[in-house]
mmCIF file of all heavy atoms in Angstrom:
data_model
loop_
_atom_site.group_PDB
_atom_site.id
_atom_site.type_symbol
_atom_site.label_atom_id
_atom_site.label_comp_id
_atom_site.label_asym_id
_atom_site.label_seq_id
_atom_site.Cartn_x
_atom_site.Cartn_y
_atom_site.Cartn_z
ATOM 1 N N LEU E 166 -30.078 -6.307 10.898
ATOM 2 C CA LEU E 166 -30.648 -6.846 9.653
ATOM 3 C C LEU E 166 -29.548 -7.396 8.735
ATOM 4 O O LEU E 166 -29.722 -8.432 8.091
ATOM 5 C CB LEU E 166 -31.443 -5.764 8.909
ATOM 6 C CG LEU E 166 -32.751 -5.317 9.562
ATOM 7 C CD1 LEU E 166 -33.401 -4.214 8.731
ATOM 8 C CD2 LEU E 166 -33.726 -6.480 9.742
ATOM 9 N N ASP E 170 -29.104 -12.727 8.270
ATOM 10 C CA ASP E 170 -29.146 -13.813 7.301
ATOM 11 C C ASP E 170 -27.857 -14.621 7.223
ATOM 12 O O ASP E 170 -27.618 -15.314 6.232
ATOM 13 C CB ASP E 170 -29.541 -13.287 5.922
ATOM 14 C CG ASP E 170 -31.048 -13.159 5.813
ATOM 15 O OD1 ASP E 170 -31.731 -14.171 5.654
ATOM 16 O OD2 ASP E 170 -31.546 -12.023 5.936
ATOM 17 N N ASP E 173 -25.437 -15.759 4.016
ATOM 18 C CA ASP E 173 -26.031 -15.541 2.685
ATOM 19 C C ASP E 173 -25.202 -14.623 1.799
ATOM 20 O O ASP E 173 -25.106 -14.820 0.581
ATOM 21 C CB ASP E 173 -27.443 -14.956 2.824
ATOM 22 C CG ASP E 173 -28.462 -16.054 3.073
ATOM 23 O OD1 ASP E 173 -28.031 -17.196 3.322
ATOM 24 O OD2 ASP E 173 -29.666 -15.768 3.031
ATOM 25 N N TRP E 200 -21.142 -26.640 5.343
ATOM 26 C CA TRP E 200 -22.184 -27.654 5.111
ATOM 27 C C TRP E 200 -22.246 -28.636 6.280
ATOM 28 O O TRP E 200 -23.330 -29.035 6.706
ATOM 29 C CB TRP E 200 -21.918 -28.409 3.822
ATOM 30 C CG TRP E 200 -22.073 -27.572 2.591
ATOM 31 C CD1 TRP E 200 -22.671 -26.331 2.512
ATOM 32 C CD2 TRP E 200 -21.614 -27.872 1.280
ATOM 33 N NE1 TRP E 200 -22.602 -25.866 1.226
ATOM 34 C CE2 TRP E 200 -21.979 -26.779 0.443
ATOM 35 C CE3 TRP E 200 -20.946 -28.951 0.714
ATOM 36 C CZ2 TRP E 200 -21.691 -26.744 -0.917
ATOM 37 C CZ3 TRP E 200 -20.660 -28.921 -0.651
ATOM 38 C CH2 TRP E 200 -21.023 -27.836 -1.451
ATOM 39 N N ARG E 203 -23.988 -26.940 9.138
ATOM 40 C CA ARG E 203 -25.445 -26.870 8.912
ATOM 41 C C ARG E 203 -26.097 -28.233 9.142
ATOM 42 O O ARG E 203 -27.175 -28.326 9.736
ATOM 43 C CB ARG E 203 -25.739 -26.422 7.478
ATOM 44 C CG ARG E 203 -25.493 -24.969 7.217
ATOM 45 C CD ARG E 203 -25.690 -24.687 5.745
ATOM 46 N NE ARG E 203 -25.276 -23.347 5.388
ATOM 47 C CZ ARG E 203 -25.964 -22.549 4.578
ATOM 48 N NH1 ARG E 203 -27.095 -22.954 4.060
ATOM 49 N NH2 ARG E 203 -25.537 -21.353 4.279
ATOM 50 N N PRO E 214 -34.674 -30.044 20.000
ATOM 51 C CA PRO E 214 -35.128 -28.780 19.377
ATOM 52 C C PRO E 214 -34.849 -27.533 20.222
ATOM 53 O O PRO E 214 -34.212 -26.592 19.744
ATOM 54 C CB PRO E 214 -36.636 -28.995 19.206
ATOM 55 C CG PRO E 214 -36.866 -30.450 19.358
ATOM 56 C CD PRO E 214 -35.772 -30.985 20.208
ATOM 57 N N LEU W 12 -19.809 -30.444 -5.991
ATOM 58 C CA LEU W 12 -19.737 -29.321 -5.043
ATOM 59 C C LEU W 12 -20.586 -28.148 -5.529
ATOM 60 O O LEU W 12 -21.331 -27.545 -4.753
ATOM 61 C CB LEU W 12 -18.283 -28.869 -4.868
ATOM 62 C CG LEU W 12 -17.359 -29.776 -4.056
ATOM 63 C CD1 LEU W 12 -15.939 -29.243 -4.082
ATOM 64 C CD2 LEU W 12 -17.835 -29.919 -2.620
ATOM 65 N N ILE W 19 -28.226 -25.522 -2.163
ATOM 66 C CA ILE W 19 -28.325 -24.872 -0.845
ATOM 67 C C ILE W 19 -28.651 -23.392 -1.009
ATOM 68 O O ILE W 19 -29.477 -22.836 -0.284
ATOM 69 C CB ILE W 19 -27.023 -25.066 -0.036
ATOM 70 C CG1 ILE W 19 -26.886 -26.531 0.379
ATOM 71 C CG2 ILE W 19 -27.013 -24.164 1.209
ATOM 72 C CD1 ILE W 19 -25.599 -26.870 1.091
ATOM 73 N N LYS W 24 -33.064 -22.019 2.511
ATOM 74 C CA LYS W 24 -34.019 -21.408 3.445
ATOM 75 C C LYS W 24 -35.251 -22.298 3.610
ATOM 76 O O LYS W 24 -35.818 -22.400 4.702
ATOM 77 C CB LYS W 24 -34.438 -20.023 2.941
ATOM 78 C CG LYS W 24 -33.357 -18.964 3.119
ATOM 79 C CD LYS W 24 -33.885 -17.604 2.704
ATOM 80 C CE LYS W 24 -32.913 -16.506 3.066
ATOM 81 N NZ LYS W 24 -31.675 -16.566 2.272
ATOM 82 N N ILE W 35 -38.747 -26.926 15.911
ATOM 83 C CA ILE W 35 -38.972 -26.024 17.055
ATOM 84 C C ILE W 35 -40.478 -25.894 17.323
ATOM 85 O O ILE W 35 -40.952 -26.038 18.461
ATOM 86 C CB ILE W 35 -38.367 -24.616 16.781
ATOM 87 C CG1 ILE W 35 -36.861 -24.700 16.544
ATOM 88 C CG2 ILE W 35 -38.702 -23.648 17.918
ATOM 89 C CD1 ILE W 35 -36.033 -25.128 17.719
ATOM 90 N N ARG W 72 -34.676 -12.983 2.129
ATOM 91 C CA ARG W 72 -34.107 -12.851 3.473
ATOM 92 C C ARG W 72 -35.147 -13.219 4.517
ATOM 93 O O ARG W 72 -36.349 -13.213 4.250
ATOM 94 C CB ARG W 72 -33.545 -11.463 3.726
ATOM 95 C CG ARG W 72 -34.499 -10.301 3.455
ATOM 96 C CD ARG W 72 -33.770 -8.977 3.501
ATOM 97 N NE ARG W 72 -33.009 -8.844 4.724
ATOM 98 C CZ ARG W 72 -31.752 -8.380 4.771
ATOM 99 N NH1 ARG W 72 -31.146 -8.013 3.678
ATOM 100 N NH2 ARG W 72 -31.126 -8.259 5.912
ATOM 101 N N TRP W 73 -34.657 -13.546 5.736
ATOM 102 C CA TRP W 73 -35.567 -13.996 6.788
ATOM 103 C C TRP W 73 -36.324 -12.838 7.419
ATOM 104 O O TRP W 73 -37.504 -12.945 7.695
ATOM 105 C CB TRP W 73 -34.792 -14.742 7.881
ATOM 106 C CG TRP W 73 -34.379 -16.121 7.462
ATOM 107 C CD1 TRP W 73 -33.148 -16.488 7.000
ATOM 108 C CD2 TRP W 73 -35.183 -17.305 7.431
ATOM 109 N NE1 TRP W 73 -33.138 -17.828 6.697
ATOM 110 C CE2 TRP W 73 -34.365 -18.356 6.960
ATOM 111 C CE3 TRP W 73 -36.506 -17.577 7.764
ATOM 112 C CZ2 TRP W 73 -34.838 -19.664 6.812
ATOM 113 C CZ3 TRP W 73 -36.971 -18.875 7.617
ATOM 114 C CH2 TRP W 73 -36.155 -19.896 7.139
#
Side-chain angles (χ1 to χ4, degrees):
Chain E
L166 290 178
D170 277 284
D173 277 10
W200 292 346
R203 286 175 189 223
Chain W
L12 287 175
I19 290 176
K24 286 185 171 68
I35 300 294
R72 53 190 308 136
W73 285 99

